[in-house]
Amino acid sequence: MGNDGGSILKRCELVKTKKKAVKFDPSVGLVTRWFLCALSKKPLESPVVICELGKLYNKESLLEYFINKKKYGDADKICGHIRSLGKVRTLKLMDNPQYKGKSGSASTIAPFICPLTLKEMNGKYKFVYLQSCCCAFSETGLKEMHSHSNLLCPLCNAPYSPDDVTEICPPQEVQDQLIIELQAKREALSAKKAKKRAEDSSEATVIEPSKKIKMTPAQQAPSTKSDEIISNLLLAKEKSSAIKSIYASNKASDKKAQNFLCRGTFNRYA
């Protein structure tokens, strides 16, 4: 039992116990969502864009994704809902003067702050942006600056409605609900387009029967240049007495009178 080179086994080595569940550190999730690009996991740098789910991306990373979608292995899971750059908005963020970027020693300092309250955009405070102008603020700062009767952006003075106020980096359950609503909206839009295409194709196949209108030879549209000349002569013959004299015979005694156009030429009556 002692001093003989042996070892005493502990209870955990003799009895199998359940392993403790790994606890997720919420601070790690905050850093990932507010400090890093959701796609490339690089530190956020201006210009920063936001998608319809409220995730933040470096615009450069999204450009690389659309050029080569195989550059990031899990890109389809992260930003597969983004169809084009037109579906994202470029945020107007205020840089944090205390943030030292990639060369900084402290990673707890947020790269952006609220221009009204100077609070850091680090996940501890709720931040929103206005869809009308894309200016970003802390929610408390925006509420303190303006009442519901005076809805003007504190930075650019652009008008906005309460529906334009959108949360940045909402919780995961909110993002799950937003993706469901986005898919339902796209399905309804695609069904509407398919219905419109079907209606257009059915209208194109239906040919209305044309109404036959009786027209005189003079009223019919000429098909060639010679037909046009003849048509003009026939119309003039009906209207002008001078032109009628051209077609009339000069010899009243001639039983088989010839008109001016065929006089002196060979015909069966000559």
Side-chain angles (χ1 to χ4, degrees):
M1 294 296 293
N3 297 328
D4 57 353
S7 59
I8 301 174
L9 298 176
K10 298 180 181 179
R11 184 178 182 277
C12 61
E13 296 176 349
L14 297 173
V15 181
K16 293 183 179 181
T17 57
K18 293 183 179 180
K19 294 182 179 181
K20 295 182 179 180
V22 178
K23 293 183 179 180
F24 178 73
D25 189 0
S27 61
V28 176
L30 290 178
V31 172
T32 304
R33 287 189 296 167
W34 294 90
F35 289 73
L36 305 179
C37 170
L39 179 60
S40 63
K41 302 300 184 290
K42 295 180 180 179
L44 289 173
E45 295 179 347
S46 297
V48 176
V49 296
I50 187 169
C51 68
E52 295 171 298
L53 304 184
K55 296 181 181 180
L56 300 177
Y57 307 85
N58 288 331
K59 192 172 184 179
E60 182 181 357
S61 301
L62 274 183
L63 286 172
E64 294 175 352
Y65 165 72
F66 285 112
I67 294 173
N68 181 16
K69 293 191 176 183
K70 296 182 180 180
K71 183 177 178 62
Y72 303 99
D74 56 347
D76 293 337
K77 297 180 180 180
I78 297 173
C79 58
H81 60 282
I82 303 176
R83 302 291 178 84
S84 64
L85 285 176
K87 300 297 182 181
V88 297
R89 308 291 301 276
T90 302
L91 293 179
K92 298 177 183 178
L93 299 171
M94 183 176 180
D95 296 331
N96 188 356
Q98 298 181 357
Y99 179 70
K100 299 180 181 180
K102 296 180 181 180
S103 60
S105 57
S107 60
T108 56
I109 299 177
F112 306 105
I113 58 175
C114 172
L116 303 178
T117 61
L118 301 182
K119 293 180 179 179
E120 293 186 359
M121 199 173 75
N122 53 13
K124 295 180 180 179
Y125 311 99
K126 187 176 180 179
F127 269 69
V128 296
Y129 78 97
L130 306 179
Q131 293 187 4
S132 57
C133 59
C134 294
C135 295
F137 314 93
S138 63
E139 187 181 39
T140 56
L142 186 63
K143 288 181 178 180
E144 291 174 359
M145 286 295 297
H146 293 288
S147 61
H148 292 288
S149 59
N150 185 20
L151 297 179
L152 296 176
C153 176
L155 291 183
C156 62
N157 206 31
Y160 70 93
S161 63
D163 296 335
D164 292 335
V165 182
T166 308
E167 185 178 359
I168 300 174
C169 292
Q172 186 61 41
E173 55 271 14
V174 177
Q175 293 184 17
D176 295 339
Q177 182 63 29
L178 288 175
I179 194 66
I180 294 173
E181 295 177 359
L182 181 61
Q183 291 176 355
K185 184 178 179 181
R186 287 178 177 175
E187 289 176 359
L189 183 61
S190 60
K192 185 178 179 181
K193 289 182 178 179
K195 183 180 179 181
K196 186 177 181 181
R197 286 195 298 267
E199 291 177 354
D200 294 341
S201 60
S202 61
E203 290 178 0
T205 54
V206 176
I207 302 175
E208 296 182 357
S210 58
K211 297 181 179 179
K212 294 184 179 180
I213 303 174
K214 294 183 180 181
M215 299 176 64
T216 61
Q219 294 175 340
Q220 293 179 356
S223 58
T224 60
K225 189 173 183 180
S226 60
D227 294 340
E228 184 179 358
I229 296 172
I230 296 172
S231 177
N232 294 334
L233 288 174
L234 291 173
L235 290 173
K237 179 182 176 182
E238 296 176 358
K239 296 180 180 180
S240 175
S241 59
I243 296 178
K244 285 182 180 180
S245 64
I246 298 176
Y247 293 91
S249 175
N250 293 331
K251 296 179 180 180
S253 61
D254 192 359
K255 296 181 179 180
K256 298 178 180 178
Q258 297 177 354
N259 57 33
F260 177 79
L261 296 177
C262 60
R263 187 179 301 126
T265 59
F266 175 80
N267 56 49
R268 68 176 69 183
Y269 303 110

